[in-house]
Amino acid sequence: MKIVTLDEFIIRRQNDFEYATGELTALLRDIGVAAKIVNREVNKAGLVNILGMDGSQNASGDTVQKLDIYANEKLIECLSNSGECAAIASEELDKYVEVPRVEGKSPKYIVVFDPLDGSSNIDVNVSVGTIFGILRRKTDPSVPVSMDDFLQSGAEMVAAGYVLYGTSTILVYTTGNGVNGFTLDPSIGEFCLSHRDIKMPTSGQFYSVNQGYYLKFDVEMRRYIDHCSDMNYGLRYIGSMVSDIHRILFQGGIFLYPNTRKYPKGKLRLLYECAPLSFVVEQAGGRAITLGRNRIMDLKPKSLHQNVTIAIGSPDTVTEMEEFLEKYAVKLI
Ligand code: AHG
């Protein structure tokens, strides 16, 4: 069978867009390059004792960085390559940053990302991921980027995806025409098309939630979790949203991060995590809502780092959970 590389696929798909000029294509390729560089470092993470701990100096005299900071820097560097990215906002940074202009370019796009989601898993050799979303800027390319360019809903994203650094490394993305996955072949250093037009099961027998917080959840969420247990649904929770959602994409089920007493508005970020992953999941036939029962993709962020509650996964499973919210939520008189 003929191997289709990520670059080849992206270029072929450029024709899906009317008036496409290759700018989005170039951006996706920049992200693919960053993913390969981050992958290389993630794979070396177990060698910190040999190569040097975070903050220390390695054998070459370079200071060893925390991997999430490293991933952040590499993404910014790679997104500066094509000159098609005007600015970025990252979970690792307080404010958005403008990307240095490449001569002759007037970039129309901005990129939001979580460079290394679930990074606390690195020390114990468990999967982590990168999540990204691409937005068309609202302001004219001739003026500086503004906050309004970033505060757009998931429905306005033109592309989104993730990279999972797992037993193998896979890049999954959508431009609104289905979802495709590319596995990194380390022998040739290329992402190769491995999962074409991914469609998730309409329901599933897995639920993914930090059940340690059970007593901190609202009553309707506790009733739903009881139901999952009654139905013998399997509980799977890695503590890395990308990994948990990746499994659900293929095996079906639901991922939940509800409000707790510690995080009354949820812990996960709308712009960097929930909106891009909702775009992917919806394109694969799934659903993503808040526990206030609003579609995640419709939410316009009020700030860059806004948190949101989330229930995401197979459409019938999310709808089943929604019925519990409806039935058991405390109704204030
Ligand atoms: P971080 O990047 O700070 O490690 O956070 C990971 C996120 C998400 O990926 C995961 O699902 C969730 O936080 C885990 O949070 P809890 O430990 O509270 O369950």
Side-chain angles (χ1 to χ4, degrees), residues 90-121:
S90 159
E91 212 222 351
E92 286 298 327
L93 302 172
D94 292 340
K95 297 180 181 152
Y96 66 80
V97 288
E98 297 214 33
V99 170
R101 282 287 172 106
V102 169
E103 215 182 304
K105 298 273 183 185
S106 331
K108 290 203 286 279
Y109 293 100
I110 55 169
V111 182
V112 293
F113 54 80
D114 181 353
L116 215 55
D117 177 63
S119 52
S120 53
N121 278 329

Side-chain angles (χ1 to χ4, degrees), residues 116-120 210 213 237 239-241 255 257 267-268:
L116 215 55
D117 177 63
S119 52
S120 53
N210 190 336
Y213 303 149
Y237 192 71
S240 155
M241 187 190 193
F255 172 91
Y257 205 108
K267 174 187 174 189
L268 303 175

Side-chain angles (χ1 to χ4, degrees), residues 242-261:
V242 173
S243 317
D244 282 313
I245 289 185
H246 185 71
R247 184 190 44 255
I248 287 169
L249 201 58
F250 289 93
Q251 299 186 332
I254 188 166
F255 172 91
L256 300 153
Y257 205 108
N259 47 305
T260 62
R261 279 179 224 150

Side-chain angles (χ1 to χ4, degrees), residues 6 11 24 51 78 114 119 121 137 144 157 172 231 235 244 246-247 265 323 326 328 333:
L6 176 65
I11 290 166
L24 184 59
L51 301 175
C78 291
D114 181 353
S119 52
N121 278 329
R137 56 183 293 192
M157 282 186 176
V172 174
M231 300 296 289
L235 170 62
D244 282 313
H246 185 71
R247 184 190 44 255
K265 293 183 175 159
E323 285 160 12
E326 165 90 325
Y328 292 103
I333 306 165

Side-chain angles (χ1 to χ4, degrees), residues 210-286:
N210 190 336
Q211 201 155 330
Y213 303 149
Y214 180 86
L215 292 175
K216 317 281 188 309
F217 294 148
D218 293 341
V219 63
E220 57 274 26
M221 185 47 60
R222 297 206 297 266
R223 291 294 81 82
Y224 177 65
I225 290 171
D226 295 344
H227 165 78
C228 293
S229 178
D230 274 352
M231 300 296 289
N232 283 329
Y233 290 174
L235 170 62
R236 300 282 187 278
Y237 192 71
I238 295 172
S240 155
M241 187 190 193
V242 173
S243 317
D244 282 313
I245 289 185
H246 185 71
R247 184 190 44 255
I248 287 169
L249 201 58
F250 289 93
Q251 299 186 332
I254 188 166
F255 172 91
L256 300 153
Y257 205 108
N259 47 305
T260 62
R261 279 179 224 150
K262 184 172 171 193
Y263 297 111
K265 293 183 175 159
K267 174 187 174 189
L268 303 175
R269 314 288 180 149
L270 174 57
L271 196 56
Y272 312 114
E273 297 168 320
C274 297
L277 291 175
S278 298
F279 190 9
V280 171
V281 163
E282 284 199 1
Q283 281 291 315

